[in-house]
Amino acid sequence: MVQELRAERAARLTRQIGEHQARIGAEQRRLLAQVAEFDRHELWKSDGCRDTAGWLAAHLGITVWAGRRWVIAAHALEHLPLLAQALESGVLCLDKVVELARFATPETERDLVKWARRVTAATIRARADLAERQPLEEIQQAERDRYLRWWWFDEGRRLGLDGEFPAAEGAAVVKALKRVAGSLPSSPEVPTARDARWAQERDFESRCADALHALAMTAIAQDADVDRATVVVHTTLDAVTGALHS
């Protein structure tokens, strides 16, 4: 008798959990459809964000990394009806669908849905990472295409920079800039509530510029060659004496 009651309870809860999963999947499918529309019309611009992934991170409390995956999946599902149906019906969870959307095609989605039901989300992620690996020729081309240019403008009062790096080198540059920028003081201006987010991003960009200058000055200071470690500044006597007496 006890075993029969336990089996009955297990069957009932299994059915109810499945129904809840299906309802959650249906809502998540609608959520991703709205994310795709939001991204397509670039509505994040009106909120001072850089992209939809950043907007999702700020408003939903998810990571920017997860936000990017959601945006990719949101657009991909528009062309993958079987995968979209698998999410909407609760057959596959959001984590699995987001990873499958990275490499599934209309020709492969049917078999992939069947396969995904038998494996973990981590297994699907590993396959997606493998599918997204760049061919050797593309990696070599990215290496050949690297560059950094600069130019003076505004009658020599400003310097413009433009560059492109392979992913690994670019990641090292970004990491160094972020690390140094994080140790630098923020701008003294106090933003209003309306433009607080924009001011915060602008402050970070300013500190990144200061970080690049700090890295350059550190490298010059450590240079043993006197000529290469010398920076010549052209100014006027009035400017120098005025600064001394101010």
Side-chain angles (χ1 to χ4, degrees), residues 16-129:
Q16 291 174 343
I17 290 172
E19 292 171 352
H20 286 307
Q21 174 67 10
R23 284 194 290 271
I24 291 171
E27 289 299 325
Q28 289 173 329
R29 176 65 191 100
R30 282 190 280 272
L31 169 64
L32 291 181
Q34 291 169 349
V35 168
E37 183 179 0
F38 189 92
D39 184 65
R40 187 177 299 111
H41 295 289
E42 299 183 337
L43 300 181
W44 42 269
K45 288 184 176 179
S46 62
D47 213 6
C49 294
R50 294 179 182 273
D51 53 25
T52 299
W55 188 92
L56 290 170
H59 285 263
L60 302 186
I62 63 176
T63 65
V64 175
W65 177 88
R68 292 195 186 99
R69 291 290 170 86
W70 281 24
V71 173
I72 292 171
H75 289 294
L77 290 182
E78 295 179 338
H79 310 287
L80 299 169
L82 298 181
L83 188 55
Q85 176 59 30
L87 173 62
E88 189 169 354
S89 62
V91 170
L92 294 179
C93 67
L94 179 62
D95 289 343
K96 288 186 176 183
V97 169
V98 164
E99 297 300 332
L100 284 170
R102 295 168 58 194
F103 64 98
T105 66
E107 294 74 28
T108 63
E109 63 171 333
R110 183 179 300 276
D111 291 336
L112 286 174
V113 169
K114 294 179 181 178
W115 167 74
R117 297 182 67 177
R118 307 190 305 268
V119 300
T120 65
T123 299
I124 302 173
R125 183 179 302 116
R127 181 166 173 178
D129 290 342

Side-chain angles (χ1 to χ4, degrees), residues 1-9:
M1 184 66 178
V2 174
Q3 290 181 345
E4 291 178 358
L5 290 174
R6 184 174 297 170
E8 182 182 348
R9 180 179 295 130

Side-chain angles (χ1 to χ4, degrees), residues 112-176:
L112 286 174
V113 169
K114 294 179 181 178
W115 167 74
R117 297 182 67 177
R118 307 190 305 268
V119 300
T120 65
T123 299
I124 302 173
R125 183 179 302 116
R127 181 166 173 178
D129 290 342
L130 184 63
E132 287 188 340
R133 284 185 182 175
Q134 287 182 296
L136 178 60
E137 176 56 31
E138 291 184 15
I139 296 174
Q140 292 174 336
Q141 186 61 48
E143 180 70 23
R144 290 192 292 267
D145 289 343
R146 72 190 188 281
Y147 72 90
L148 182 65
R149 304 189 187 107
W150 60 87
W151 62 94
W152 298 97
F153 65 101
D154 194 13
E155 297 182 350
R157 289 188 289 267
R158 303 189 186 203
L159 173 70
L161 292 173
D162 177 45
E164 183 176 312
F165 298 86
E169 288 83 345
V173 172
V174 170
K175 184 176 181 179

